[in-house]
Amino acid sequence: MSLFNRCTAILLIGTLLAAGLPISAKTHKGDTYLAEGRIHESHREWDAALECYEKALLEDPAELIYQMAAEKAGFQAGQVHLSQGLKLRQQGMLSEALAEFEKAFAVNPSSAAAAQETRVTREMMDRERQRAAAGQKQAANLRALTPLDEYKKDERDRLNRILAVPELKPLNPERINLKMNNKTKVLFETVAKYAGINVLWDPEFTPPPKDGFNVEINDLTIEQALDYMAVLTKSYWKPISPNTIFITMDSQNKRHEYEEWVAKTFYLQNIQTQQELQEVVNAVRTMTDLAKVYQFAGQNAVLVRGEADKVELAEKFIRDLDKPKAEIVVDIMVIEATSVFSRQITAALASTGLNVPVNFSPRSQIQVQTSSSGSSSSGPIYVPLASLGHISSADYATTLPGALLQAALSDAKTRILQAPQLRSVDNAKATLNIGTREPTAVGSIQPSVGGTGLNPLVNTQFAYTDVGVNVELTPRVHDNGDVTMHIKLDISNVAGSVNLAGITEPIIGQRKVEHDIRMREGEVGLLGGLINTEDDKTVTGIPGLKDIPLLGKFFSGDSTTHNRDELMIVLVPHVIRRPEIGAENLRPVATGPQLAVHLSHAAPSSDTPKPAGAQGRDGSAVQTSAGDLPATAPLLPSSLAPPATGTGEIHAHFAPSQADTDAGSSVTVPLIIDGSEDIASVLVALAWDPKMLVLTGFQAGDALARDGRQPNSTNNIQNDLGRASIQMDLPQGVHAASAGVLVTFTFQAMGHGTAQVTVSQLDFHNGENATVHAGNPRLMLNIK
């Protein structure tokens, strides 16, 4: 076969393959296998299709069609086995997954992915065999981890174990009421002991020159009390664990030395442009004095590192700024109405006036000359003087006017409505162009003058003008629902064309308005309008005759035309998303002095608030929060209050929780518990108004009685301060587990009004020295 014939055959085969046409192979049996394989291929049964194609290749190994079909089926079958193997491995079925990967490699040896997954799966099986030998059995989800996934998991676990800034969690979260007069260290240690936290002092701590302060703390949380004393004593404190604080002098150097730094990444969800992200970063850096603020535009993220309070303040600013933008939809209606009214009434002999020409048509016997050459009959006619005597009226002719009767009426109305709708986000320009783009010549124009064959387009540039409905809108949505819009509206059309220097240019008619307007949501506002009215009346006829009454109508004509064009441009804004600005974004926050950012936090919502309405006998409010013990009267030694926390649940309440009594009389009220667990000891602390009540005694109840034996009790009753603490310990080896009366209190009423008794601390300790807190029951006594 010659080279030309070979090239022709190759091109023919390539053309047929590209067209998707089947080609008959050399062997009938091979073609049969090929047809069977294509049936399996249509059902995506790639293994069966590959088997058929391979049989076809055995019949004719050199056949190109068989080779291409086998290659395609081998690739697809390998991908199916590879995908199935990945699914099995994700379920922890490593042996089954390895078998699928090996099949994928067998049917497609060129698959690098199959070889890679086979190697990785074998490494995972070796790892699991080693774990099994060591007695370590893993769950299916852990067996499915590849070595790389396992490393990433360990890395994520390490990152998740990074601790946040320590948050103070005192054992006694109740609000504090204290009156103290002492030195700096004693003040802090007293509050710390009350709350059940530890204090570490800076070895270089130097008390103020005047180290003695009168402190009165009323209804404050532990953090607020510590901040209060820090301001008073010019000290700086920070938590280093949930139950430990560190205290040093408040100076710039000490803050730089001890103030906690944190790093945080903020992912902004509503920022759309690089400019907005840069503005957020600049605002945060300026308002918080953070030196390390970095933006990552790829993820719309802001990375921050600095003092904990500054980073938290930055978080507030970012949350306030990263808000979904308001959105509006504006209905734009361009209404154009045109009406043309025309009326013509004519019934006359000469409606447009009398115009009767008289023509000279001489008879043949009269000698005339048409011109000097005589070659044209349309020239002037010359009559010899000798023939003037022979001219008569027969040599002249005229045309008489005809009669006309006309009554025509035309009334045409046209109404055009263009109503595009445009949606836009707050403070972002939206553009809408509906129509065509017409080319117009700009720059220099070379006319086709002064030579043959010059092209008028030489040295001519063209620009394209948008013709149709063109809208540019920039809205601003206000929090009350009003919308301020800057709108540019251009309604144009091609009104005709003009030839300039050999180039046909379009004449573009425009209706254009650019305006700033503020409207309410849903308000129909007229942006612009135009009314054009044109009245034409024409009267024709014979002068004099047309003015004759009645008869004048036969010598005149009357035509009346009335044109009216109206154009209105109407806007209707619809707010579909309002600005999400709430009270939390508008309220101011305290950030500390000028040289140091310091944020103070309110008590968690779980704290029990002070009830309203309780009054003493003198009308003053009764202190209802726990605490209020002075530094010289702690509840009990810390050795009697183990710090561990149990997992049980105990509920306590007074029965009744409200009672009436008379001034000077006694009232006995039991404190009842239910849902108790294994109890070895109980700590009960009370607080009341010493001007209203006196605690005259207490009696342990049956909830702690076992085998007739009562618990041992230790008490610290201070009626002058309205405080008491009672510790009840069961004998060694005896544990109580039943519900009932825990303790009965007896009070004597001293004044008139409403008095409240608050259990400020109620802790149960089990045999394993774990603590269960039982809440803070309250008793209201109405003293008459």
Side-chain angles (χ1 to χ4, degrees):
M1 182 182 290
S2 65
L3 179 61
F4 176 77
N5 293 334
R6 288 181 181 178
C7 293
T8 302
I10 292 174
L11 290 175
L12 179 60
I13 293 173
T15 304
L16 293 175
L17 289 176
L21 299 177
I23 305 176
S24 298
K26 297 179 180 179
T27 64
H28 176 72
K29 195 171 183 180
D31 288 347
T32 302
Y33 289 134
L34 179 65
E36 292 179 1
R38 286 177 173 171
I39 293 175
H40 290 296
E41 181 178 335
S42 64
H43 293 87
R44 310 192 69 82
E45 298 170 351
W46 296 108
D47 285 337
L50 177 61
E51 183 179 356
C52 293
Y53 295 149
E54 288 177 344
K55 290 180 180 179
L57 275 175
L58 291 176
E59 297 296 328
D60 188 358
E63 178 56 47
L64 181 61
I65 299 176
Y66 300 162
Q67 293 177 8
M68 295 181 63
E71 286 291 336
K72 177 182 177 182
F75 174 79
Q76 295 291 348
Q79 290 298 112
V80 170
H81 288 295
L82 185 64
S83 177
Q84 185 64 25
L86 292 174
K87 292 180 180 179
L88 291 172
R89 195 172 68 183
Q90 290 175 357
Q91 299 172 7
M93 305 169 66
L94 301 183
S95 301
E96 295 81 352
L98 179 61
E100 291 292 333
F101 293 142
E102 290 176 344
K103 289 179 182 178
F105 186 76
V107 298
N108 186 16
S110 63
S111 175
Q116 180 182 9
E117 299 301 338
T118 300
R119 184 181 66 255
V120 172
T121 305
R122 286 174 177 170
E123 293 177 359
M124 297 168 63
M125 295 177 66
D126 293 339
R127 178 194 64 193
E128 295 305 317
R129 280 193 290 267
Q130 294 175 4
R131 288 176 175 174
Q136 301 175 355
K137 186 177 180 180
Q138 297 290 338
N141 61 330
L142 297 179
R143 290 198 306 271
L145 295 178
T146 65
L148 179 60
D149 292 337
E150 203 170 27
Y151 175 80
K152 291 181 178 179
K153 178 180 178 299
D154 294 340
E155 190 177 46
R156 288 194 301 269
D157 292 341
R158 285 195 302 271
L159 291 176
N160 291 333
R161 289 197 300 270
I162 296 177
L163 297 178
V165 178
E167 182 180 356
L168 194 60
K169 295 181 179 179
L171 294 179
N172 182 14
E174 293 295 326
R175 291 180 175 270
I176 300 175
N177 292 276
L178 290 175
K179 294 181 180 180
M180 299 178 289
N181 183 356
N182 218 317
K183 297 182 178 180
T184 301
K185 288 191 174 183
V186 176
L187 297 178
F188 277 103
E189 289 175 351
T190 300
V191 173
K193 182 178 292 186
Y194 182 90
I197 60 177
N198 304 314
V199 179
L200 293 180
W201 292 92
D202 183 2
E204 300 178 356
F205 180 80
T206 302
K210 180 183 178 182
D211 193 14
F213 301 93
N214 289 318
V215 177
E216 183 174 353
I217 301 175
N218 296 315
D219 196 30
L220 298 181
T221 64
I222 178 63
E223 290 86 357
Q224 293 170 341
L226 293 174
D227 288 341
Y228 174 70
M229 292 188 297
V231 172
L232 189 63
T233 62
K234 298 185 182 301
S235 304
Y236 165 70
W237 72 274
K238 73 168 190 175
I240 58 176
S241 73
N243 65 341
T244 305
I245 62 173
F246 173 81
I247 303 177
T248 185
M249 294 88 69
D250 190 6
S251 65
Q252 196 72 17
N253 293 334
K254 288 295 182 180
R255 283 185 175 269
H256 287 168
E257 185 176 354
Y258 291 108
E259 199 164 17
E260 196 74 32
W261 276 46
V262 297
K264 192 167 185 179
T265 303
F266 302 97
Y267 294 94
L268 282 66
Q269 303 299 321
N270 302 290
I271 297 300
Q272 299 177 349
T273 64
Q274 175 69 23
Q275 180 182 356
E276 293 176 339
L277 182 60
Q278 183 63 48
E279 290 176 354
V280 171
V281 170
N282 293 339
V284 169
R285 183 183 290 116
T286 303
M287 297 302 297
T288 62
D289 291 332
L290 280 167
K292 297 184 181 298
V293 183
Y294 179 76
Q295 64 177 4
F296 182 63
Q299 292 288 341
N300 267 2
V302 178
L303 287 73
V304 175
R305 182 173 179 265
E307 294 87 342
D309 284 346
K310 289 184 179 180
V311 172
E312 190 171 359
L313 183 60
E315 181 174 6
K316 172 183 168 41
F317 287 140
I318 290 176
R319 290 183 182 275
D320 290 343
L321 296 176
D322 187 25
K323 295 286 187 181
K325 289 187 176 181
E327 291 187 65
I328 69 168
V329 171
V330 180
D331 292 325
I332 305 171
M333 290 180 286
V334 181
I335 305 172
E336 184 176 1
T338 303
S339 62
V340 178
F341 178 82
S342 176
R343 185 187 64 186
Q344 294 180 356
I345 300 176
T346 303
L349 297 176
S351 60
T352 59
L354 187 61
N355 184 11
V356 180
V358 178
N359 298 322
F360 179 58
S361 301
R363 291 167 292 169
S364 58
Q365 57 269 29
I366 298 176
Q367 297 180 358
V368 295
Q369 294 180 357
T370 56
S371 63
S372 59
S373 61
S375 60
S376 176
S377 59
S378 62
I381 299 175
Y382 299 96
V383 181
L385 295 177
S387 300
L388 292 178
H390 302 285
I391 297 175
S392 65
S393 61
D395 297 318
Y396 291 90
T398 186
T399 302
L400 295 177
L404 175 66
L405 177 61
Q406 179 178 351
L409 177 66
S410 175
D411 189 359
K413 295 182 179 180
T414 304
R415 184 174 182 269
I416 300 175
L417 171 64
Q418 293 174 316
Q421 191 177 65
L422 186 59
R423 177 169 178 167
S424 178
V425 298
D426 185 65
N427 205 28
K429 184 173 74 172
T431 303
L432 175 66
N433 296 313
I434 302 176
T436 61
R437 305 194 72 193
E438 295 291 333
T440 56
V442 296
S444 61
I445 300 177
Q446 177 67 44
S448 57
V449 178
T452 304
L454 290 179
N455 192 333
L457 303 182
V458 175
N459 297 328
T460 303
Q461 296 82 37
F462 287 89
Y464 288 86
T465 303
D466 292 320
V467 176
V469 180
N470 305 299
V471 184
E472 289 185 3
L473 175 68
T474 304
R476 181 72 174 90
V477 182
H478 304 278
D479 57 354
N480 63 348
D482 287 1
V483 180
T484 297
M485 293 176 289
H486 175 80
I487 186 168
K488 183 178 180 181
L489 180 63
D490 182 2
I491 308 296
S492 57
N493 65 305
V494 177
S497 62
V498 62
N499 190 287
L500 298 176
I503 300 177
T504 301
E505 295 282 340
I507 300 175
I508 299 176
Q510 275 190 332
R511 297 175 178 87
K512 187 175 181 180
V513 61
E514 186 172 357
H515 193 49
D516 290 291
I517 187 172
R518 177 163 178 163
M519 303 173 63
R520 294 190 304 273
E521 179 186 5
E523 177 184 355
V524 179
L526 179 62
L527 186 61
L530 173 66
I531 299 177
N532 183 24
T533 302
E534 181 180 353
D535 293 316
D536 294 330
K537 185 173 182 179
T538 303
V539 177
T540 59
I542 302 175
L545 297 179
K546 71 178 183 61
D547 298 326
I548 299 175
L550 298 178
L551 295 178
K553 295 294 184 180
F554 295 98
F555 302 98
S556 66
D558 184 1
S559 175
T560 302
T561 303
H562 176 74
N563 296 334
R564 179 181 177 88
D565 294 332
E566 296 184 17
L567 175 67
M568 289 194 302
I569 301 175
V570 179
L571 298 181
V572 184
H574 306 281
V575 178
I576 59 177
R577 178 183 286 122
R578 294 179 180 270
E580 295 183 4
I581 301 176
E584 68 277 4
N585 305 122
L586 300 177
R587 70 181 184 91
V589 295
T591 61
Q594 178 182 1
L595 299 179
V597 174
H598 176 71
L599 302 181
S600 301
H601 297 79
S605 58
S606 59
D607 281 7
T608 304
K610 180 175 69 175
Q615 295 181 346
R617 61 184 177 183
D618 56 353
S620 60
V622 178
Q623 298 289 344
T624 61
S625 299
D628 221 15
L629 288 179
T632 57
L635 290 177
L636 281 175
S638 59
S639 60
L640 298 179
T645 303
T647 60
E649 185 176 1
I650 301 177
H651 301 281
H653 63 277
F654 285 103
S657 59
Q658 295 183 357
D660 296 333
T661 186
D662 296 327
S665 61
S666 297
V667 59
T668 300
V669 181
L671 180 62
I672 299 177
I673 62 173
D674 55 88
S676 61
E677 62 171 21
D678 184 17
I679 299 173
S681 64
V682 181
L683 173 61
V684 183
L686 300 177
W688 65 89
D689 186 359
K691 298 179 181 179
M692 303 289 291
L693 298 172
V694 173
L695 178 60
T696 58
F698 68 92
Q699 179 70 37
D702 56 357
L704 300 182
R706 282 297 177 271
D707 301 330
R709 293 184 292 178
Q710 293 291 335
N712 301 320
S713 62
T714 304
N715 65 82
N716 181 11
I717 300 176
Q718 298 178 339
N719 277 310
D720 55 338
L721 298 175
R723 298 293 180 264
S725 60
I726 303 169
Q727 176 80 28
M728 293 179 288
D729 300 311
L730 276 75
Q732 186 69 26
V734 177
H735 296 165
S738 62
V741 178
L742 176 66
V743 61
T744 300
F745 299 99
T746 301
F747 291 94
Q748 183 177 4
M750 302 297 295
H752 297 276
T754 302
Q756 180 171 283
V757 179
T758 303
V759 177
S760 58
Q761 188 173 357
L762 182 55
D763 296 338
F764 294 84
H765 312 297
N766 58 23
E768 298 178 356
N769 206 27
T771 302
V772 177
H773 303 288
N776 306 100
R778 284 178 169 82
L779 169 65
M780 301 294 296
L781 294 176
N782 184 21
I783 305 175
K784 301 178 181 179

